[in-house]
Amino acid sequence: IQHLAGVPNPSPDYVAACVDAFYTGTFTAGGITFGQGKYGDLAAINAVILLHREATTTVLDADPTYGSLREPIGKVMKYMRSLEYARAPYDKNIYPILHGMASKVGQEVYYAQDQFSFFDFDYSPPGQFASSGLMAPESQLLSVSWLIGVIRGMMMLSKYGLKGDWDGFGQHHLFEGNIASGHLSFTPYSNTEYINEIDTLLTNGRLGVENKATLQAVYDHVKATSNEDEAKRAVQQLIAATPGFHSTSSIDRKNGNARLPAPKAQPADVDYKAIVVFNLFGGVDSFNVLAPKDGNDCVDLYKDYKEARGEAAMQNHNLLPIDATGSNQTCTDFGVHRALKEFQTIYEEGNGAFLANFGHLFKPVTKKDWLFETRTDLFSHYKMNQDMQRVDAFVEQRGTGVLGRLLDVMQERKNMTVSPIAINSLTVMLDGKPELGRLVDILPGSGAKEFDFENRWVLNFDEKLVAAVEDLNAGTKMNSGIFSNHFSQSLIDTWNKTDNLKSILRSSVNVPIHGTKGNAFKQILRMIKSASERGVNREAFVVDLGGFDAHHSVMWNLDANLPNVNNAVGGFYRGLKDLNMLDSVTTIIISEFGRTISPNTNGGTDHGWGGNYFIFGGEINGKKIFGEYPASFTETDRAMLERGRVLPTTSWDAVWYAVSQWFGVDNEEDMDYVLPNSKNFGCDLIPDSVLYKNGVNKVPGCSGASVDCSVIIYTEKARRITGEEQKSTCKMAANKISSDLKSTTRCVILGQEVIIEPSVEEQGRRLSDERVGTKFIAAIYTDAAVKSDNTTGENPTDPSLPDFTDITELQQQLVTSTTSSWTEITSDPVNFKNSTGEASVDILVTAAPSSMPSAMPSSM
């Protein structure tokens, strides 16, 4: 409906009609029945989408919330067709060749970022859309680069024809030089009705009285100073910048005021920090990025590795050595892929660390329970990439990414000025709360894009034409269409922003950065260098590099792609050092998933799960491997699944926990917003005091006593309790125990299993009926400590917390509180679907705060 009918917010009736047509296989409109009555008949489905009254009525045009934004490539096609593009005699192509449109306007055939679309169907931009719950998916493509690209490209097409220079939509011809492949040849029926005809053709009559008057004034001005042909061309160019052309909203109703750029926030008086994410899309084979070496104490692990990987294994002489002493791994002699010399250098200089076997998780899981405790499309590029960028397993902060939420906290709670920037492409990781009105800037990988209206070598607009662009997008009344209003505001904001950025993005970078992403990282260095000038306190950048989906010839794939990663990372590292900003920027190199340990029959590897990644800068506590690298590559290892897939032992939440604290998150309320599922990992998180040299924060609730609570819940039907039930009941238990002990408490449910207790009979008499239920361990962690743990008589964690005279007193209080809380929770059938209210609660006192594997190196 969104794509074919251009209706991003269909009514329930519209959706229901489509569903009905899908099931019945027919749809009738205008006395004609479409479809043959078969389930899923595409003729019926297409007919209902295109011919439903909601898609065809003109009455809804008066509704300010009705309409849509047009897709970029659709706008270009409409512009060329309506203005009658005609190819030049020497152009031998039947159809015009549009070159490099993905980078110019954000869309191109075969260049979608994934198999679904160029944008998220449920995207709601800031402002009117977010406040009214409306969606505008195409607005994701109104970025700095692509908005300029589509408008200037069409203006260039009108002025010069289809050419490749100055970001035109054409291509350079090999032998003929940069000549136009064709021109717009539209001839009006009447010169006096030219603007009305253009209005009908390009905006379906949506220009509005004021904008028609503006175009007429430009037409008269250019005709008087030049000639009528130039006047027509000026109108063609200007209509490419009107909201009526870029949207299907109701007609603009001007309020008589100029449209102002969004106000600039004032920076806080704090030091600058930035996060840079380098996303290796496709699932990099990261067990060849970091592998054990055949030497010293890793001999046995390398033997396992080589046997399991077969032809996909790295030979020992192709691994660059690194020392993992103090990292709490099975052995200490590891190696980095030969193409990643810069990784080795950064690691050995103590400024970088590896993240071993990290991945998307809902909670700590084992080989026994991972399948039913993990509710996502595992091994899917799209879904795992989304999960990796969102870090919100239960979708509690819909439509946002982890970096976007982190910037939200800095902006809303810390009053800092923040800036999310993606290089070349969209990324959900940077999307924050829409109500805050913050858009993601998508900058070109090289150069500085700008409208350049007045450049004599490009558009050569005089003052009258430049002023017309502003007038065409002037302020509007509240009853104007929100889609057209959003376009105009985006244009004005982009125009203002590029005027401020052009000198910054043209500035020199002292350090060379080579490879396909070299220019992208130069842009990031320029932005970091200018942070003070731009008044930015906190910033986040995302760069994508694809090509790692190595189902065939994985060794060749890595040899071809990793040098680009190495060159970009190495140059960027030296660039940060040159700017003296290395400690102010944390850079993470990640991928949506790892790949299978065992190769396929094509010499490639398939979609896996856990993988190994790299982090540097920001005063990282480097020369460590965080997480848990597999102790063996045999099937007996706790992380090895079938088909050679590796079960992650550490979640994305763990590393983002530390990065968030380093970035400025200093309380659990904000952390719960940034990482909504972090409490579901108990103490299996990494604080910044572990990941960073100067980190001071811990994980609240993880420095005192703990207990394991064995719980059985009896239910009417045999089933496992859901993830939502686990989280909600653990939250209730943690709150009650925290209140009793005056101590921060964490809770996570582990080891869930369905139980069936058979009926009991004695001498032909049934003493009890068969009962079914679920059994699990509720692991409880607290900050409660014993007075004797220090000499001052104060609690070492927090002096305001109560003291206990000895461990027995503390454990008894913890046992009592935990038993009481879980007995109360399980006795209420409301807390668990089809629960009988019967339960068994037993406490198993533990000496250590965690039975889960730790992500922290032993030296910490």
Side-chain angles (χ1 to χ4, degrees):
I1 294 174
Q2 289 181 332
H3 185 70
L4 294 180
V7 181
N9 300 284
S11 68
D13 178 71
Y14 193 176
V15 175
C18 293
V19 172
D20 184 62
F22 183 87
Y23 277 102
T24 64
T26 62
F27 176 73
T28 302
I32 302 173
T33 298
F34 300 86
Q36 298 179 3
K38 295 181 180 179
Y39 178 85
D41 191 297
L42 291 180
I45 295 168
N46 283 323
V48 68
I49 290 173
L50 297 174
L51 300 178
H52 188 274
R53 59 185 179 178
E54 194 168 321
T56 57
T57 184
T58 58
V59 175
L60 288 173
D61 285 347
D63 183 351
T65 65
Y66 186 75
S68 66
L69 289 164
R70 289 187 169 127
E71 299 182 30
I73 202 70
K75 290 184 283 194
V76 174
M77 292 293 100
K78 185 175 182 66
Y79 194 77
M80 296 177 72
R81 285 173 175 168
S82 299
L83 298 179
E84 300 177 10
Y85 172 84
R87 62 190 176 95
Y90 43 78
D91 185 8
K92 306 305 180 184
N93 296 298
I94 298 176
Y95 301 107
I97 303 297
L98 302 179
H99 182 69
M101 298 298 280
S103 61
K104 293 172 183 176
V105 306
Q107 277 188 311
E108 188 173 359
V109 177
Y110 306 124
Y111 278 81
Q113 63 175 352
D114 54 58
Q115 66 267 44
F116 294 96
S117 183
F118 291 88
F119 31 73
D120 295 326
F121 76 92
D122 58 351
Y123 180 72
S124 180
Q128 290 174 297
F129 290 93
S131 61
S132 58
L134 296 175
M135 294 178 287
E138 298 84 358
S139 66
Q140 284 188 289
L141 303 186
L142 292 181
S143 69
V144 171
S145 297
W146 296 335
L147 182 57
I148 293 173
V150 73
I151 293 175
R152 199 170 82 166
M154 287 186 287
M155 290 181 171
M156 295 287 290
L157 176 62
S158 174
K159 188 175 182 68
Y160 298 110
L162 188 59
K163 301 176 68 174
D165 56 352
W166 296 106
D167 290 328
F169 296 149
Q171 60 182 339
H172 292 273
H173 291 271
L174 184 60
F175 300 108
E176 294 89 346
N178 189 30
I179 58 177
S181 301
H183 294 82
L184 303 180
S185 62
F186 172 70
T187 302
Y189 287 105
S190 168
N191 287 342
T192 58
E193 293 294 318
Y194 183 73
I195 291 175
N196 285 334
E197 290 187 37
I198 288 289
D199 181 22
T200 300
L201 287 170
L202 290 174
T203 76
N204 292 23
R206 290 186 172 90
L207 265 181
V209 175
E210 295 97 335
N211 280 354
K212 280 187 180 180
T214 299
L215 291 178
Q216 188 64 57
V218 168
Y219 184 91
D220 295 340
H221 163 72
V222 177
K223 181 180 177 181
T225 56
S226 183
N227 58 60
E228 195 158 45
D229 286 341
E230 287 298 318
K232 294 175 184 175
R233 185 172 292 115
V235 170
Q236 289 180 7
Q237 290 176 297
L238 288 176
I239 205 167
T242 60
F245 173 68
H246 290 269
S247 74
T248 62
S249 268
S250 58
I251 295 173
D252 276 353
R253 299 171 177 88
K254 305 292 184 184
N255 62 14
N257 300 319
R259 186 180 294 273
L260 301 176
K264 184 179 179 181
Q266 294 301 310
D269 186 20
V270 295
D271 292 337
Y272 173 85
K273 286 185 177 181
I275 299 169
V276 179
V277 173
F278 192 6
N279 179 23
L280 309 184
F281 183 70
V284 65
D285 194 310
S286 55
F287 279 94
N288 277 1
V289 169
L290 178 68
K293 275 188 68 67
D294 185 13
N296 298 326
D297 59 351
C298 278
V299 172
D300 292 338
L301 185 58
Y302 180 77
K303 182 181 178 181
D304 277 354
Y305 163 85
K306 193 170 182 180
E307 183 176 336
R309 298 232 71 184
E311 62 180 315
M314 290 291 295
Q315 297 301 312
N316 194 54
H317 64 273
N318 288 328
L319 291 169
L320 305 174
I322 61 169
D323 182 8
T325 299
S327 296
N328 197 27
Q329 304 299 330
T330 300
C331 56
T332 60
D333 290 317
F334 283 84
V336 181
H337 191 284
R338 63 185 178 188
L340 298 175
K341 175 65 178 174
E342 300 288 1
F343 282 44
Q344 181 198 33
T345 299
I346 297 169
Y347 181 93
E348 291 298 333
E349 287 182 0
N351 292 317
F354 279 96
L355 307 173
N357 199 17
F358 278 61
H360 175 65
L361 291 169
F362 280 68
K363 56 177 287 188
V365 291
T366 66
K367 292 169 70 171
K368 184 178 180 180
D369 62 11
W370 68 270
L371 188 58
F372 60 82
E373 295 284 17
T374 307
R375 304 178 323 179
T376 190
D377 295 332
L378 283 175
F379 323 125
S380 157
H381 284 296
Y382 173 77
K383 192 61 173 69
M384 295 297 280
N385 191 50
Q386 292 285 300
D387 290 337
M388 178 266 290
Q389 295 194 42
R390 295 187 189 279
V391 195
D392 181 12
F394 289 89
V395 196
E396 297 171 71
Q397 301 294 339
R398 185 174 295 277
T400 63
V402 62
L403 290 180
R405 296 192 299 273
L406 192 47
L407 293 176
D408 286 348
V409 169
M410 297 300 107
Q411 176 183 341
E412 191 173 25
R413 303 294 294 271
K414 307 296 183 182
N415 296 315
M416 298 183 187
T417 56
V418 302
S419 171
I421 296 176
I423 306 297
N424 284 334
S425 60
L426 289 168
T427 171
V428 71
M429 184 176 272
L430 292 167
D431 289 339
K433 188 191 301 182
E435 303 90 281
L436 293 180
R438 186 185 68 243
L439 291 172
V440 176
D441 290 328
I442 301 177
L443 297 182
S446 60
K449 278 197 174 182
E450 53 186 305
F451 286 113
D452 226 9
F453 292 130
E454 296 164 284
N455 189 325
R456 60 175 298 192
W457 302 110
V458 187
L459 295 172
N460 197 26
F461 280 13
D462 62 17
E463 292 180 1
K464 186 80 173 179
L465 270 71
V466 173
V469 176
E470 296 184 72
D471 291 342
L472 292 168
N473 293 279
T476 54
K477 297 178 181 179
M478 289 298 292
N479 60 346
S480 288
I482 65 172
F483 290 92
S484 56
N485 180 67
H486 184 69
F487 166 79
S488 291
Q489 191 63 54
S490 298
L491 186 151
I492 296 300
D493 288 344
T494 296
W495 196 351
N496 178 66
K497 186 171 292 184
T498 53
D499 282 348
N500 296 331
L501 281 180
K502 59 185 178 184
S503 60
I504 293 172
L505 295 180
R506 289 172 178 168
S507 63
S508 62
V509 174
N510 296 332
V511 176
I513 308 180
H514 304 293
T516 56
K517 291 298 174 180
N519 287 329
F521 279 92
K522 286 181 182 178
Q523 293 287 63
I524 296 176
L525 285 175
R526 293 184 181 103
M527 298 302 284
I528 292 172
K529 181 181 178 181
S530 65
S532 177
E533 177 185 344
R534 293 181 293 116
V536 176
N537 300 127
R538 293 290 186 270
E539 203 150 30
F541 303 87
V542 176
V543 183
D544 290 328
L545 176 63
F548 291 93
D549 194 16
H551 291 286
H552 186 281
S553 305
V554 64
M555 306 302 280
W556 174 89
N557 178 281
L558 294 176
D559 286 340
N561 288 312
L562 289 184
N564 285 318
V565 178
N566 185 68
N567 290 332
V569 168
F572 184 60
Y573 174 69
R574 286 185 290 276
L576 290 173
K577 294 177 78 171
D578 179 69
L579 296 175
N580 196 29
M581 294 294 285
L582 180 62
D583 291 344
S584 301
V585 180
T586 291
T587 303
I588 310 177
I589 297 91
I590 55 178
S591 191
E592 68 266 37
F593 49 59
R595 304 194 74 82
T596 56
I597 297 299
S598 54
N600 57 35
T601 56
N602 295 315
T605 50
D606 299 319
H607 299 179
W609 194 355
N612 307 309
Y613 309 105
F614 193 63
I615 184 170
F616 70 89
E619 295 188 294
I620 286 289
N621 186 15
K623 211 170 182 180
K624 299 280 192 303
I625 298 177
F626 293 90
E628 183 181 352
Y629 198 88
S632 169
F633 287 92
T634 64
E635 293 182 359
T636 58
D637 187 81
R638 75 185 195 92
M640 290 296 137
L641 303 177
E642 59 183 13
R643 297 188 61 189
R645 287 171 172 145
V646 185
L647 176 69
T649 43
T650 313
S651 71
W652 292 124
D653 299 73
V655 65
W656 283 115
Y657 196 94
V659 174
S660 297
Q661 288 180 330
W662 170 82
F663 208 58
V665 176
D666 55 10
N667 64 79
E668 281 298 281
E669 181 182 354
D670 289 344
M671 189 65 80
D672 286 345
Y673 172 71
V674 175
L675 298 172
N677 197 41
S678 61
K679 280 192 167 66
N680 216 27
F681 293 93
C683 295
D684 198 14
L685 299 165
I686 307 176
D688 71 346
S689 58
V690 169
L691 189 61
Y692 292 89
K693 296 171 185 174
N694 293 325
V696 297
N697 297 288
K698 305 292 184 181
V699 179
C702 293
S703 58
S706 70
V707 295
D708 283 347
C709 182
S710 177
V711 180
I712 298 176
I713 300 170
Y714 295 101
T715 52
E716 295 172 1
K717 297 178 181 179
R719 71 176 187 90
R720 299 181 179 94
I721 61 174
T722 67
E724 287 81 4
E725 288 172 328
Q726 294 178 43
K727 287 194 69 172
S728 64
T729 52
C730 248
K731 182 177 181 180
M732 286 188 280
N735 288 341
K736 186 178 187 309
I737 297 168
S738 292
S739 177
D740 291 346
L741 271 65
K742 302 296 186 295
S743 168
T744 303
T745 303
R746 305 180 80 87
C747 168
V748 60
I749 290 177
L750 304 171
Q752 182 182 183
E753 58 181 312
V754 173
I755 61 169
I756 300 176
E757 295 180 355
S759 60
V760 178
E761 295 185 3
E762 183 178 307
Q763 297 180 351
R765 295 173 55 200
R766 176 170 291 185
L767 301 181
S768 65
D769 294 330
E770 178 183 84
R771 295 199 298 180
V772 296
T774 182
K775 180 179 180 180
F776 57 83
I777 297 295
I780 306 297
Y781 311 88
T782 73
D783 279 332
V786 177
K787 180 183 292 187
S788 59
D789 286 347
N790 63 89
T791 57
T792 64
E794 294 180 331
N795 188 297
T797 305
D798 185 345
S800 67
L801 299 180
D803 294 317
F804 295 93
T805 56
D806 57 44
I807 189 66
T808 302
E809 179 191 7
L810 170 56
Q811 288 182 336
Q812 184 57 51
Q813 180 61 49
L814 183 54
V815 166
T816 301
S817 181
T818 303
T819 305
S820 171
S821 65
W822 275 103
T823 300
E824 180 180 330
I825 290 167
T826 54
S827 63
D828 186 349
V830 174
N831 293 327
F832 300 96
K833 183 180 177 182
N834 75 25
S835 168
T836 63
E838 297 175 277
S840 170
V841 177
D842 295 312
I843 299 298
L844 308 172
V845 178
T846 56
S850 177
S851 59
M852 297 183 293
S854 172
M856 309 175 190
S858 59
S859 62
M860 295 297 100

